[in-house]
Amino acid sequence: MSSIHSVKRSQSHLAWDNSIPPVIIIPSGDTVTFSCLDASNGQITQSSTPNTLSSLIFSQLDQLNGPVYVQGAAPGDTLQIDVLSVDTADWGWTALIPGFGLLSDEFPDPALKIWKLNKEEQYAWFDKEKGIKVLLRPFAGEMGVAPGKKGAFSTIPPYATGGNIDTRHVCAGAALYLPVEVEGALFSIGDGHAAQGDGEVCGTAIETPMQVTVRLTVRKDRPYTKTPHFQTAATGGANVRDGRGGGEAQYYCTTGVDSDIREATRGAVRNMINFLETEYQLDRVAAYMLCSVAGDLRMHEVVDMPNYVIGMMLPTSLLRGARA
């Protein structure tokens, strides 16, 4: 049985920087439980109003808990993050923050919604009078490893090494794969979300404090992991709805991360081709065709500039028994 380690709320930092010393050192395969504040770093509370948004200290947003040094991780490896559980607070918030969001020029005024989360039944009322409720699918918006380049990098955008990927499918039961660029990987996590749509178009989800438990495993057999990859949970409401069969499907996803949305999209497809070549010995032409007839492109994150996260998602059922 792997030991369980813990990282406290106070063990946090505000930049991706490989010079930040780890808060704990663990063997590969161990589990870690993180206690995290919401993306506002506690600046927004259940009693906050839209006026609170005008006094936000932006340099304190999107803090990270960690980093965790995983023994045996070296540049060129892959860190596998198995999401074991995500437990949110019983409240959350969604805001229109001036200057943020896909339509920030059309919605310049601050707005704030405080949610009551029904954790037992896993929903929250958006508008009870109109009968509109949102299913809770909690996940961590920030998951990443330290970049190989020296210096401090903002926690706001996503990167090839992860970061603010804001990808709703990486919930409990899913596995995330990140390319390691420094010794020990230096994994950090934060930005609890109770629910979010693909893209996070207004710039916030249902933001909430969270306690999340993950297993961190070093992989030496995935040289094709150059950007975040993930596999969705086998069952449950957090998976993508399979339009072909009408039920819940399990997907493997590769991503492209780039400041140019077309290049991010091209990267997602190219990375899926590389995955299929390596894992299933498909030639590049066949892999490209399979992406076209069975893969789904998704906009996972489109507001945390300067980078976009685009995913190519392929149902794992297509590949059962196909591994050479």
Side-chain angles (χ1 to χ4, degrees):
M1 177 70 70
S2 297
S3 62
I4 296 178
H5 311 272
S6 62
V7 175
K8 301 175 183 177
R9 287 186 176 184
S10 59
Q11 294 174 304
S12 63
H13 55 103
L14 289 162
W16 294 104
D17 187 336
N18 62 32
S19 70
I20 297 174
V23 297
I24 56 171
I25 298 173
I26 69 166
S28 172
D30 271 16
T31 61
V32 185
T33 297
F34 297 82
S35 180
C36 308
L37 283 170
D38 66 290
S40 79
N41 212 350
Q43 295 181 82
I44 295 176
T45 69
Q46 296 180 68
S47 60
S48 292
T49 68
N51 291 332
T52 304
L53 301 178
S54 64
S55 61
L56 284 179
I57 302 172
F58 284 85
S59 62
Q60 299 294 310
L61 302 181
D62 278 348
Q63 76 288 352
L64 302 163
N65 288 81
V68 174
Y69 185 105
V70 185
Q71 293 173 335
D77 293 343
T78 296
L79 186 67
Q80 177 175 330
I81 301 98
D82 294 295
V83 184
L84 304 181
S85 66
V86 185
D87 185 27
T88 70
D90 60 3
W91 70 279
W93 60 269
T94 302
L96 301 186
I97 300 174
F100 281 111
L102 200 61
L103 301 178
S104 58
D105 56 329
E106 299 179 25
F107 293 87
D109 298 324
L112 179 66
K113 179 176 179 61
I114 302 296
W115 301 75
K116 173 68 175 177
L117 308 183
N118 186 329
K119 295 169 57 177
E120 183 177 344
E121 299 184 46
Q122 288 293 290
Y123 74 86
W125 284 109
F126 177 77
D127 189 320
K128 192 169 185 179
E129 185 176 330
K130 295 182 183 297
I132 302 173
K133 66 169 64 171
V134 174
L135 294 178
L136 302 185
R137 293 167 173 158
F139 69 99
E142 292 261 11
M143 285 192 276
V145 293
K149 294 180 180 179
K150 292 183 178 180
F153 298 88
S154 171
T155 60
I156 299 299
Y159 303 97
T161 50
N164 200 17
I165 58 175
D166 281 336
T167 300
R168 70 183 183 93
H169 312 293
V170 191
C171 56
L176 175 67
Y177 304 90
L178 297 174
V180 175
E181 294 189 356
V182 298
E183 296 290 334
L186 297 178
F187 174 81
S188 297
I189 193 169
D191 190 22
H193 292 169
Q196 181 205 292
D198 276 322
E200 197 189 31
V201 295
C202 85
T204 58
I206 300 182
E207 311 288 340
T208 181
M210 68 174 180
Q211 181 169 288
V212 57
T213 300
V214 300
R215 180 185 298 112
L216 302 177
T217 306
V218 178
R219 298 286 299 270
K220 304 285 186 180
D221 58 344
R222 296 175 58 92
Y224 50 80
T225 307
K226 303 300 183 185
T227 61
H229 292 202
F230 63 85
Q231 183 159 304
T232 64
T235 58
N239 286 333
V240 181
R241 179 78 46 188
D242 183 358
R244 298 171 185 80
E248 298 292 349
Q250 186 177 30
Y251 285 77
Y252 188 86
C253 179
T254 58
T255 67
V257 183
D258 200 278
S259 58
D260 182 302
I261 195 168
R262 175 175 169 80
E263 287 306 310
T265 305
R266 282 161 54 88
V269 177
R270 189 181 299 116
N271 289 333
M272 181 62 80
I273 291 170
N274 293 340
F275 167 74
L276 293 171
E277 274 192 297
T278 304
E279 291 290 335
Y280 297 96
Q281 285 69 59
L282 294 183
D283 65 60
R284 290 186 68 77
V285 171
Y288 188 27
M289 288 182 177
L290 185 60
C291 287
S292 190
V293 300
D296 294 322
L297 283 168
R298 299 249 171 187
M299 291 183 172
H300 293 311
E301 175 53 69
V302 299
V303 296
D304 290 324
M305 296 299 96
N307 294 333
Y308 299 87
V309 180
I310 305 297
M312 163 60 73
M313 304 186 74
L314 196 69
T316 57
S317 59
L318 293 176
L319 301 171
R320 288 184 188 138
R323 192 181 303 271

